[in-house]
């Protein structure tokens, strides 16, 4: 086996997630446990925690699966079940797709890429070129593909935030590349400075690492921070001065919970606003149907846009994309619906707007409740989430707990999270899986459990934490 595969680790689907599945199976067999259900807060998977799908999106998707209903002679029957705009959208999509069971263009269905370009232009105020947009099997596939293009040999380094989303370290491990860590400042709301970026870059140079790209996750995962426009300009200047490609992971761009104080700005918008001196600046930005209020993780849809890449590079990206033939077509359809939802005045708009807003405002409320819960725990501090779907609190564990963890061969935060899982059925991810400052311990939790479960969910965490701290008190 490829030794790099053995070395790769992916914490959000690691030991804790595997044990949570075992516990689910035990509950299904009638085994008595201290809890009635397993709550998977280890991954941003909204519909697994009962978030309802957007009705219009599912209506259109279902019609594309059964085009018989779209025939003119069946329209009267279809209108008894579906609104007219869902029928019309499905017909338009199939006009450009043919059959959802057929391979599409390897770069993605041209009509959908055109709609993505219109979405980007409307969002940013600057034109986008469909020929520089690639539809993908979720943003993760786009990240993996572009990292594969950038990593030329085992001397190449990619700058990643600490804490980071484990997709990056796992992919770099498989590619035998070097993670070049830069640290977010927890004491300043997980802030980022170009001084820290330069320190990280210079340290890699001294090690003989050829740093090719900088990953920015905005809004942050697992940390939930949202960058200011000024900070983004400084980051772009850093990349320009050090000749590194900017990889902008922007999958949580609609998960913004303080829009007045911390609005989302895309790196594309900020870059284009900086003038002609930045023409040719190389950047790739990613988006996904899995996050936001869409939450269609299992359909695997997303896209990336290339900026400043010459045609010869785009040809190579297309070649690698074509090896996988095409992204799945239903994922592409959901991308189309995400970037072009029902508009005001259309039959489905009011329902769409209500469903979208209900999810959005509920997430804001749940994030606040969970933050207060964590900050109320002994030895625990938690920053506010400006965006995304996660909180990343720091826990200060008793020395006896740390000793017990080491005796069990585990990191202290992994030990704590496993104990929580066994006692409450709540599955979180240890901070050590994301990277953290030495000597600290954290865990990541989504705030996706539905409102009707939230009081019980938070009470279970409080009771477990109190018992754990008492058990291991110094």
């Amino acid at each position: 086996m490829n030794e790099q595969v053995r070395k790769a680790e992916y914490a959000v689907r690691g030991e804790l997630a595997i044990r949570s599945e075992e516990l689910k199976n035990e509950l299904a067999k009638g085994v008595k446990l201290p809890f009635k259900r397993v709550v998977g807060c280890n991954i941003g998977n909204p519909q697994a925690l009962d978030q309802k799908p957007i009705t219009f999106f599912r209506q259109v998707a279902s019609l594309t699966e059964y085009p018989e209903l779209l025939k003119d002679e069946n329209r009267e029957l279809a209108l008894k079940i579906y609104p007219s705009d869902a029928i019309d959208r499905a017909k338009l999509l199939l006009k450009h797709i043919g059959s959802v069971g057929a391979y599409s263009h390897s770069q993605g269905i041209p009509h959908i890429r055109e709609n993505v370009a219109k979405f980007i232009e409307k969002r940013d105020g600057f034109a986008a070129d469909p020929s520089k947009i690639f539809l993908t099997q979720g943003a993760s596939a786009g990240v993996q593909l572009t990292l594969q293009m950038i990593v030329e040999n085992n001397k190449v380094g990619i700058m990643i935030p600490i804490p980071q989303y484990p997709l990056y370290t796992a992919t770099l491990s498989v590619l035998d590349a070097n993670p070049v860590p830069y640290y977010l400042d927890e004491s300043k709301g997980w802030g980022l400075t170009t001084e820290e970026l330069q320190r990280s870059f210079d340290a890699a140079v001294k090690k003989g690492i050829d740093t090719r790209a900088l990953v920015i996750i905005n809004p942050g995962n697992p940390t939930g921070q949202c960058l200011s426009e000024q900070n983004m300009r400084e980051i772009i200047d850093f990349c320009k001065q050090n000749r590194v490609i900017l990889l902008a992971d922007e999958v949580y761009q609609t998960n913004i919970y303080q829009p007045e104080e911390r609005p989302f700005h895309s790196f594309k918008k900020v870059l284009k606003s900086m003038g002609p001196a930045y023409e040719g600046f190389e950047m790739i930005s990613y988006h996904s149907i899995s996050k936001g209020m869409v939450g269609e993780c299992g359909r695997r849809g997303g896209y990336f846009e290339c900026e400043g890449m010459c045609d010869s590079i785009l040809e190579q990206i297309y070649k690698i994309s074509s090896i996988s033939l095409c992204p799945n077509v239903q994922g592409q359809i959901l991308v189309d619906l995400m970037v072009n939802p029902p508009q005001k005045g259309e039959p489905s708009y009011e329902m769409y707007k209500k469903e979208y807003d209900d999810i959005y405002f509920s997430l804001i409320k749940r994030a606040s409740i969970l933050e207060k819960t964590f900050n109320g725990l002994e030895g625990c501090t938690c920053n506010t989430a400006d965006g995304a779907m996660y909180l990343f609190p720091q826990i200060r564990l008793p020395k006896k707990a740390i000793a017990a963890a080491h005796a069990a061969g585990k990191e202290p935060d992994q030990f704590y999270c496993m104990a929580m899982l066994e006692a409450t059925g709540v599955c979180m991810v240890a901070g050590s899986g994301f990277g953290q400052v030495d000597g600290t311990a954290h865990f990541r939790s989504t705030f996706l459990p539905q409102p009707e479960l939230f009081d019980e969910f938070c009470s279970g965490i409080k009771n477990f934490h109190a018992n754990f701290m008492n058990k291991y008190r110094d």
Side-chain angles (χ1 to χ4, degrees):
M1 177 181 281
N2 183 337
E3 189 59 29
Q4 297 310 125
V5 173
R6 291 187 186 276
K7 291 178 181 178
E9 294 183 0
Y10 188 61
V12 297
R13 290 290 178 99
E15 178 188 18
L16 286 155
I18 292 168
R19 178 58 181 151
S20 74
E21 290 299 319
E22 292 171 352
L23 292 171
K24 282 182 187 178
N25 291 335
E26 289 179 24
L27 285 172
K29 292 175 183 177
V31 176
K32 288 187 177 181
L33 296 172
F35 45 85
K36 295 179 181 178
R37 62 175 285 175
V38 172
V39 182
C41 292
N42 58 306
I43 193 166
N45 193 11
Q47 292 185 26
L49 292 171
D50 301 326
Q51 178 174 303
K52 292 181 180 179
I54 299 292
T55 300
F56 180 79
F57 294 0
R58 288 298 182 87
Q59 288 171 333
V60 175
S62 66
L63 283 163
T64 63
E65 290 284 353
Y66 190 59
E68 190 73 18
L69 278 175
L70 297 175
K71 291 183 176 179
D72 290 342
E73 61 265 31
N74 292 328
R75 187 172 178 86
E76 187 174 339
L77 173 63
L79 284 169
K80 292 179 180 178
I81 311 169
Y82 296 96
S84 59
D85 54 344
I87 295 170
D88 293 342
R89 175 67 72 85
K91 289 180 76 171
L92 177 63
L93 282 165
L94 289 183
K95 175 184 174 182
H96 291 277
I97 294 169
S99 170
V100 296
Y103 291 132
S104 76
H105 191 290
S106 293
Q107 193 171 340
I109 296 158
H111 171 74
I112 297 177
R113 285 190 281 119
E114 289 168 7
N115 282 339
V116 172
K118 291 174 185 175
F119 161 79
I120 293 170
E121 182 172 356
K122 183 178 178 181
R123 181 194 68 191
D124 297 339
F126 296 96
D129 184 347
S131 71
K132 297 179 180 178
I133 294 167
F134 291 76
L135 304 185
T136 55
Q137 301 259 100
S140 296
V143 168
Q144 291 167 325
L145 185 153
T146 50
L147 286 176
Q148 183 182 3
M149 298 292 300
I150 293 167
V151 174
E152 185 179 1
N153 55 55
N154 64 6
K155 296 295 184 183
V156 169
I158 307 293
M159 297 180 70
I160 61 170
I162 298 296
Q164 56 93 32
Y165 179 50
L167 164 68
Y168 294 96
T169 45
T171 304
L172 293 176
S173 179
V174 170
L175 295 173
D176 197 16
N178 301 277
V180 177
Y182 64 89
Y183 286 83
L184 306 178
D185 188 342
E186 184 171 9
S187 69
K188 296 180 180 176
W190 298 111
L192 170 60
T193 66
T194 49
E195 289 79 10
E196 170 59 15
L197 291 178
Q198 196 64 56
R199 180 208 61 77
S200 173
F201 181 90
D202 292 344
V205 170
K206 289 177 181 177
K207 295 177 182 177
I209 294 172
D210 177 15
T211 302
R212 298 280 184 90
L214 166 66
V215 173
I216 298 284
I217 307 174
N218 183 48
N221 175 10
T223 47
Q225 85 286 3
C226 191
L227 296 173
S228 69
E229 188 170 358
Q230 179 56 34
N231 202 180
M232 296 169 77
R233 290 174 183 272
E234 293 166 355
I235 291 165
I236 290 169
D237 278 331
F238 165 83
C239 291
K240 187 171 186 283
Q241 290 163 13
N242 291 282
R243 297 176 57 82
V244 297
I245 302 167
L246 177 56
L247 304 179
D249 182 335
E250 299 177 333
V251 302
Y252 296 100
Q253 61 188 259
T254 57
N255 292 101
I256 299 297
Y257 306 130
Q258 301 184 62
E260 299 300 323
E261 297 83 8
R262 285 290 188 180
F264 170 77
H265 302 284
S266 75
F267 268 101
K268 165 81 174 285
K269 176 184 175 181
V270 175
L271 172 66
K272 291 298 184 182
S273 72
M274 292 173 74
Y278 293 83
E279 286 297 322
F281 181 91
E282 293 181 310
M283 178 176 73
I284 302 172
S285 53
Y286 310 88
H287 196 13
S288 170
I289 65 171
S290 298
K291 311 306 177 187
M293 276 33 79
V294 181
E296 292 281 5
C297 302
R299 291 179 182 266
R300 310 310 301 133
Y303 71 82
F304 64 87
E305 181 190 19
C306 298
E307 182 65 37
M309 307 281 172
C310 65
D311 289 344
S312 62
I313 296 297
L314 293 173
E315 288 169 5
Q316 295 303 311
I317 295 175
Y318 176 77
K319 179 181 73 177
I320 294 298
S321 298
S322 68
I323 293 172
S324 298
L325 297 175
C326 73
N328 84 78
V329 173
Q330 276 294 350
Q332 295 185 63
I333 287 171
L334 260 290
V335 170
D336 184 86
L337 296 166
M338 174 182 73
V339 300
N340 186 23
Q343 302 299 304
K344 197 168 186 177
E346 295 177 351
S348 295
Y349 175 77
E350 293 301 329
M351 177 181 281
Y352 165 77
K353 184 72 165 58
K354 182 180 186 307
E355 291 176 339
Y356 188 100
D357 287 351
D358 284 351
I359 295 169
Y360 175 71
F361 289 110
S362 178
L363 284 171
I364 293 175
K365 183 178 180 181
R366 283 177 273 164
S368 177
I369 293 170
L370 192 56
E371 179 197 333
K372 289 175 183 175
T373 297
F374 289 150
N375 278 319
L377 302 179
E378 179 186 354
C380 186
T381 54
C382 183
N383 285 325
T384 298
D386 297 329
M389 295 178 172
Y390 316 100
L391 292 169
F392 197 66
Q394 181 175 168
I395 45 171
R396 294 155 187 87
L397 297 173
K399 292 178 182 177
K400 287 182 181 177
I402 294 171
H406 291 158
K410 298 185 184 300
E411 292 293 329
D413 47 14
Q414 180 82 358
F415 181 77
Y416 174 89
C417 288
M418 186 61 77
M420 181 189 294
L421 174 61
E422 297 286 355
T424 67
V426 175
C427 182
M428 298 188 184
V429 190
S432 49
F434 297 89
Q436 55 196 346
V437 172
D438 287 345
T440 66
H442 298 78
F443 59 87
R444 188 191 79 166
S445 175
T446 72
F447 37 83
L448 293 174
Q450 291 303 295
E452 60 271 19
L453 295 175
F454 225 69
D455 287 345
E456 179 184 345
F457 167 66
C458 291
S459 294
I461 293 170
K462 290 176 184 176
N463 292 336
F464 159 74
H465 186 82
N467 292 334
F468 183 93
M469 297 297 279
N470 287 331
K471 179 178 180 180
Y472 293 103
R473 193 170 301 283
D474 294 330

